[in-house]
Amino acid sequence: MERGDDVSEERILLDHGSGGLASHRLISEVFFRYMGNEHLYGMDDAACVWTGPLTAVSTDTFTVDPLFFPGGDIGSLAVHGTVNDVAMLGARPRYITCGFLIEEGLPLRDLERIAASMARAAQEADVRVVAGDTKVVTRGAADKLFINTTGLGELLLDTPLSGAGAEEGDAVLVSGNLGDHGLAVFAAREGLSFQTPVRSDSACLNHMVAHLLQQVPEVRVLRDPTRGGLATTLNEIAGQSGRDIFLREADLPVDPEVRESCSFLGLDPLYLANEGKLICVVPRRWADEAQQVLREHEAGVNVACIGEVGGWSRGRVILETGIGGRRLLQMLEGEQLPRIC
Amino acid sequence: MERGDDVSEERILLDHGSGGLASHRLISEVFFRYMGNEHLYGMDDAACVWTGPLTAVSTDTFTVDPLFFPGGDIGSLAVHGTVNDVAMLGARPRYITCGFLIEEGLPLRDLERIAASMARAAQEADVRVVAGDTKVVTRGAADKLFINTTGLGELLLDTPLSGAGAEEGDAVLVSGNLGDHGLAVFAAREGLSFQTPVRSDSACLNHMVAHLLQQVPEVRVLRDPTRGGLATTLNEIAGQSGRDIFLREADLPVDPEVRESCSFLGLDPLYLANEGKLICVVPRRWADEAQQVLREHEAGVNVACIGEVGGWSRGRVILETGIGGRRLLQMLEGEQLPRIC
């Protein structure tokens, strides 16, 4: 074995989470190397950031298994997930914090790869990592690595968007194909391979959102259909707005390969997590303009108008099937795929 | 078995972390019940909060084992730890976010007890829980419960305090007895009992900090000696400031019971975590006033002046022992007590 290999096989020890010397070395040599900026270099208990009068805040813990999957890894996902949640309020994400919870024995190489991936994702999203924390627990007390990110953003609107904003007659758009992330992670976990490999759609959506809000003055709802998929997120919007949402099954964009694999595996792409898609509810008169804006972005090339909002109700989601039938699309009940994000 | 017992034996299932129906029920029935406010009731992906132009931000993941210990639990600790980190910048903590990472099978009763404790701690600290996230992983993929909290605060000063602020001749104060938290958690974990039970000092320090900053115009450094204890935190301050810190061993406040138990167990109270203490560096002329202010608060009744700051150097911490000797107090090397916070 070469001396170089020796180093790359270094593993995380409990000592790296002690707050003492080894923690300081890990922070300097891994986290600062990739994510360093003046907020972190201060090495104080907290960072101080410039904010506007209204700040959007979101937090999320990422537990995805495996850590690496086609199209991303837990690091990029932890940035995208939180950046997108902040953006969905109608905000420009500016800062994130990262809490690493590491199982003793994690290869240092994996942590470095993940830190580098987070740094790239943060740069692409134009957010800065302003505070961090590292904890290490004994073998068996956690599974490899969990990451919490909390995001802060500047509101781009006078009032934040909410799932409660949908109104009768509004068009419901989705920015692209459904289910890619869920299926990609599931396949990576189970060691399945498809003819055409399915990749996660994990991506930051904040630039697309900023563009949309600039061009379309009446966006009613933005929401990313992550855990629980499109069906669950639409149920949330329907419930918050107190209106039914009618979907046209034929218009739901699903990649044929994903559709076929899901059918084979007994998974429903409408309940699979997406990590680079958004649902957008707009007045019908703005639906074309909104689609045109979304289509200009890589994450929006397959945008589709999938349905519309009905009148006051208990907030159901109703799927109009190809053969003219109607079926109630419930919120996810039961967990088919844990640790998908 | 009574029907009532049945309910109290309910346990967390994977489904509670799915983002679907069971998640929504858990959020409504447990988290909203104790921590609900208009930010959370919105049930959107992010919350929108009022902020000043300068916001202090800090994040921390809590992995303490056991979940309950004399003087606190993981819930109160997760609030105190982050509130205190924000306060140490010279800020008034206003908002926190909570990320719960739960092992399948955790008794729901424990989660409720912890949520109630967080709510009490947040109320006492006068901070609001504005965003949350819940993930559930399969048995064995995490140990019971981990909580990430991220705190936001409003800066009370024109520029944030930093560990780099210590100057030659400054007095070094510590607000009370050292090592109580570390020893209390260690004893609870190992099932040790002492003649007088040792309790964690876990407490929010923000009101005391606000009072101090109001009365003492020249506070140079505030820092809470958590993981790694007083010795590690003072090494950070010494390193950041580029100055030696001289401590008088005889003046270090340690409860006699803690001192004796540590001696017996081979632990050093100077390296044990504290969760309700702060180190305060002030110009010598303000030392008496600062002590007087701290002494007015429950967390500061045992305040002591423990040493002073020397001239430019590599930043060492030097302990002047009772018998006139001097010994270098290093940063913690090696982890004696993992999962102490």
Side-chain angles (χ1 to χ4, degrees):
Chain A
M1 189 191 273
E2 297 286 318
R3 196 170 162 74
D5 289 347
D6 228 352
V7 171
S8 70
E9 283 307 324
E10 210 180 320
R11 288 174 182 274
I12 293 290
L13 308 172
L14 280 178
D15 198 12
H16 285 117
S18 66
L21 269 178
S23 298
H24 282 79
R25 277 197 301 266
L26 180 71
I27 292 167
S28 305
E29 288 165 21
V30 177
F31 297 126
F32 281 6
R33 183 165 158 209
Y34 296 103
M35 295 186 271
N37 61 54
E38 77 279 10
H39 296 291
L40 295 177
Y41 293 145
M43 290 286 277
D44 286 305
D45 285 348
C48 200
V49 299
W50 288 99
T51 46
L54 272 175
T55 296
V57 188
S58 186
T59 193
D60 223 330
T61 304
F62 296 84
T63 63
V64 68
D65 174 39
L67 297 179
F68 302 94
F69 48 84
D73 56 64
I74 192 171
S76 52
L77 183 64
V79 173
H80 295 153
T82 288
V83 158
N84 292 348
D85 279 349
V86 169
M88 295 306 133
L89 216 68
R92 179 166 84 90
R94 294 188 62 191
Y95 307 108
I96 59 169
T97 64
C98 305
F100 291 86
L101 179 61
I102 312 175
E103 183 189 16
E104 177 191 19
L106 181 78
L108 191 61
R109 190 166 46 174
D110 287 354
L111 187 64
E112 280 208 57
R113 206 175 136 197
I114 287 161
S117 164
M118 289 191 87
R120 272 194 307 276
Q123 191 169 21
E124 203 191 330
D126 198 18
V127 295
R128 311 193 78 183
V129 179
V130 294
D133 177 57
T134 309
K135 292 281 159 41
V136 181
V137 296
T138 44
R139 269 172 214 270
D143 186 15
K144 299 185 285 289
L145 174 65
F146 304 131
I147 301 178
N148 175 282
T149 49
T150 301
L152 306 182
E154 188 184 327
L155 207 65
L156 296 170
L157 305 167
D158 293 334
T159 51
L161 294 175
S162 161
E167 294 188 16
E168 187 167 356
D170 284 354
V172 179
L173 315 178
V174 68
S175 62
N177 293 342
L178 299 166
D180 299 8
H181 175 77
L183 188 62
V185 171
F186 178 73
R189 190 186 305 166
E190 304 297 330
L192 306 176
S193 60
F194 305 115
Q195 281 201 308
T196 320
V198 175
R199 289 171 64 82
S200 164
D201 60 346
S202 183
C204 69
L205 301 174
N206 53 320
H207 303 307
M208 186 164 88
V209 166
H211 187 194
L212 180 72
L213 294 175
Q214 200 175 43
Q215 298 297 317
V216 177
E218 286 183 86
V219 173
R220 295 263 167 78
V221 180
L222 291 178
R223 188 66 73 91
D224 55 341
T226 55
R227 267 190 299 178
L230 181 85
T232 300
T233 308
L234 283 178
N235 267 284
E236 289 173 357
I237 297 171
Q240 286 177 270
S241 304
R243 291 171 191 285
D244 286 342
I245 291 176
F246 296 88
L247 293 185
R248 296 176 295 272
E249 190 175 37
D251 293 338
L252 294 172
V254 182
D255 178 86
E257 174 94 18
V258 170
R259 190 186 296 272
E260 203 176 306
S261 305
C262 279
S263 162
F264 177 74
L265 295 165
L267 298 170
D268 186 338
L270 302 186
Y271 289 92
L272 287 182
N274 309 278
E275 293 290 345
K277 296 289 149 35
L278 57 80
I279 294 166
C280 170
V281 180
V282 283
R284 194 193 306 260
R285 64 185 171 284
W286 287 105
D288 287 344
E289 175 73 13
Q291 287 187 80
Q292 211 168 309
V293 172
L294 297 178
R295 205 172 284 119
E296 284 180 37
H297 295 261
E298 200 185 325
V301 288
N302 293 313
V303 61
C305 182
I306 58 174
E308 62 183 37
V309 179
W312 287 109
S313 78
R314 280 177 307 154
R316 299 164 304 178
V317 179
I318 295 146
L319 187 70
E320 298 170 342
T321 61
I323 51 165
R326 285 184 160 200
R327 146 166 108 81
L328 216 57
L329 215 55
Q330 308 272 16
M331 193 171 266
L332 178 67
E333 175 77 274
E335 173 61 289
Q336 309 169 71
L337 296 178
R339 298 183 61 188
I340 210 70
C341 62
Chain B
M1 190 190 275
E2 298 287 318
R3 196 171 161 72
D5 290 347
D6 229 352
V7 170
S8 69
E9 283 307 323
E10 211 180 318
R11 288 173 182 274
I12 293 290
L13 308 171
L14 279 179
D15 199 11
H16 285 117
S18 67
L21 269 179
S23 299
H24 283 79
R25 277 196 300 266
L26 180 70
I27 291 168
S28 305
E29 290 166 20
V30 178
F31 297 126
F32 282 6
R33 182 164 159 210
Y34 297 103
M35 293 185 271
N37 60 55
E38 78 278 10
H39 296 290
L40 295 176
Y41 293 144
M43 289 287 276
D44 286 306
D45 285 349
C48 201
V49 299
W50 289 99
T51 45
L54 272 174
T55 296
V57 188
S58 186
T59 192
D60 224 329
T61 305
F62 296 85
T63 64
V64 69
D65 174 37
L67 297 178
F68 303 95
F69 48 84
D73 57 64
I74 192 171
S76 52
L77 183 65
V79 173
H80 295 153
T82 288
V83 158
N84 292 347
D85 279 349
V86 169
M88 296 305 133
L89 216 67
R92 179 166 85 90
R94 294 189 60 191
Y95 308 108
I96 60 168
T97 65
C98 304
F100 291 86
L101 179 62
I102 312 174
E103 183 188 17
E104 177 190 18
L106 181 78
L108 192 60
R109 189 168 44 174
D110 287 353
L111 187 64
E112 280 208 56
R113 204 174 136 199
I114 288 162
S117 164
M118 288 190 87
R120 273 194 306 276
Q123 192 169 19
E124 204 191 329
D126 197 19
V127 295
R128 311 194 76 184
V129 180
V130 294
D133 177 57
T134 309
K135 292 283 160 33
V136 181
V137 296
T138 44
R139 267 172 214 270
D143 186 16
K144 301 184 285 289
L145 174 65
F146 303 131
I147 301 178
N148 176 283
T149 49
T150 300
L152 306 182
E154 189 183 326
L155 207 64
L156 297 170
L157 304 168
D158 293 334
T159 52
L161 294 175
S162 161
E167 294 188 18
E168 188 168 354
D170 284 354
V172 179
L173 315 178
V174 68
S175 63
N177 293 344
L178 299 166
D180 300 8
H181 175 77
L183 188 62
V185 172
F186 177 74
R189 190 186 304 165
E190 304 297 331
L192 306 176
S193 61
F194 305 116
Q195 281 202 311
T196 320
V198 176
R199 289 171 64 82
S200 165
D201 60 346
S202 184
C204 69
L205 301 175
N206 52 320
H207 303 308
M208 185 164 88
V209 166
H211 186 194
L212 180 71
L213 294 176
Q214 202 176 41
Q215 297 298 319
V216 177
E218 286 181 86
V219 173
R220 296 263 166 78
V221 181
L222 290 178
R223 188 65 74 86
D224 55 340
T226 54
R227 266 190 300 177
L230 180 85
T232 300
T233 308
L234 283 178
N235 266 283
E236 289 173 359
I237 297 171
Q240 286 178 270
S241 304
R243 291 171 193 282
D244 287 341
I245 292 177
F246 295 88
L247 294 184
R248 294 176 297 272
E249 191 175 37
D251 292 339
L252 294 172
V254 182
D255 178 87
E257 174 94 19
V258 171
R259 190 187 296 271
E260 202 176 309
S261 305
C262 280
S263 162
F264 178 73
L265 295 164
L267 298 170
D268 186 338
L270 302 187
Y271 289 92
L272 287 182
N274 309 278
E275 293 290 345
K277 296 287 149 38
L278 57 79
I279 295 167
C280 170
V281 180
V282 284
R284 194 193 305 261
R285 64 186 171 283
W286 287 105
D288 287 343
E289 174 73 13
Q291 287 186 80
Q292 212 169 310
V293 171
L294 297 177
R295 206 171 283 120
E296 284 180 36
H297 295 262
E298 199 185 325
V301 287
N302 292 314
V303 60
C305 182
I306 59 174
E308 62 182 37
V309 179
W312 287 109
S313 77
R314 280 176 309 153
R316 299 165 303 178
V317 179
I318 295 147
L319 186 71
E320 296 169 345
T321 60
I323 49 165
R326 285 184 159 202
R327 146 167 108 81
L328 216 56
L329 215 55
Q330 307 273 14
M331 193 170 266
L332 179 67
E333 175 77 272
E335 174 61 291
Q336 309 169 71
L337 296 179
R339 299 183 61 189
I340 210 70
C341 63

